[in-house]
């Protein structure tokens, strides 16, 4: 293959990472993906997420703060006794649901033979 195929088509480095890499950097951590996946089913309390993800309180709190800051998740505080904090996907977070479905389909097809 000639080198000219790559030299003219690559974007200069000063333009930053491509959209795919930038997207993966935002949602690509293990805990972010786990939490986003759990929230696909709807609004969840902090303790429900903690049990479902098996994350420590500190890790889950940090991840939820990050996801909220990036506008993937919104937080709702219910101050009536007992006080409870709820989390749900924002429209931006919900837009990832088809992506998770596609990845799951790919995994079922191509990773089915992998043993855990």
């Amino acid at each position: 293959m000639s080198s000219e195929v790559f030299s003219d088509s690559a974007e200069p480095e000063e333009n930053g990472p491509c959209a795919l890499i930038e997207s993966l950097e935002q949602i690509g951590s293990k805990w972010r993906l786990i939490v986003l996946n759990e929230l696909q089913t709807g609004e969840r309390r902090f303790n429900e997420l903690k049990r479902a993800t098996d994350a420590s309180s500190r890790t889950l709190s940090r991840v939820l703060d990050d996801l909220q800051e990036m506008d993937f998740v919104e937080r709702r505080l219910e101050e009536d006794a007992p006080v409870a904090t709820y989390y749900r996907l924002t429209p931006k977070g919900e837009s990832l649901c088809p992506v998770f479905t596609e990845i799951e389909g790919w995994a079922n097809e191509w990773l089915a033979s992998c043993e855990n």
Side-chain angles (χ1 to χ4, degrees):
M1 199 176 239
S2 81
S3 63
E4 66 188 56
V5 171
F6 295 108
S7 63
D8 291 335
S9 63
E11 293 208 11
E13 282 188 42
E14 61 267 7
N15 286 344
C18 70
L20 177 62
I21 300 301
E22 193 171 325
S23 300
L24 291 174
E25 286 175 354
Q26 286 215 355
I27 62 169
S29 82
K30 170 187 168 182
W31 290 112
R32 286 179 189 164
L33 290 171
I34 290 171
V35 169
L36 288 168
N37 187 54
E38 284 298 323
L39 288 173
Q40 287 185 88
T41 59
E43 186 175 69
R44 306 280 292 272
R45 292 176 68 160
F46 182 88
N47 286 332
E48 291 174 319
L49 284 171
K50 187 174 180 236
R51 281 191 298 275
T53 62
D54 207 23
S56 70
S57 293
R58 181 175 183 220
T59 297
L60 183 57
S61 181
R62 180 183 48 83
V63 168
L64 286 166
D65 287 347
D66 289 348
L67 290 171
Q68 189 177 356
E69 191 174 302
M70 293 184 292
D71 195 35
F72 286 111
V73 169
E74 61 186 15
R75 177 178 181 255
R76 179 174 66 88
L77 183 62
E78 196 165 287
E79 296 182 16
D80 297 334
V83 174
T85 306
Y86 293 87
Y87 294 90
R88 67 176 178 209
L89 295 176
T90 62
K92 181 179 178 180
E94 288 174 352
S95 71
L96 290 170
C97 293
V99 174
F100 285 124
T101 301
E102 287 296 318
I103 291 171
E104 185 175 16
W106 178 86
N108 289 337
E109 181 177 347
W110 294 101
L111 304 179
S113 63
C114 293
E115 293 183 36
N116 291 333

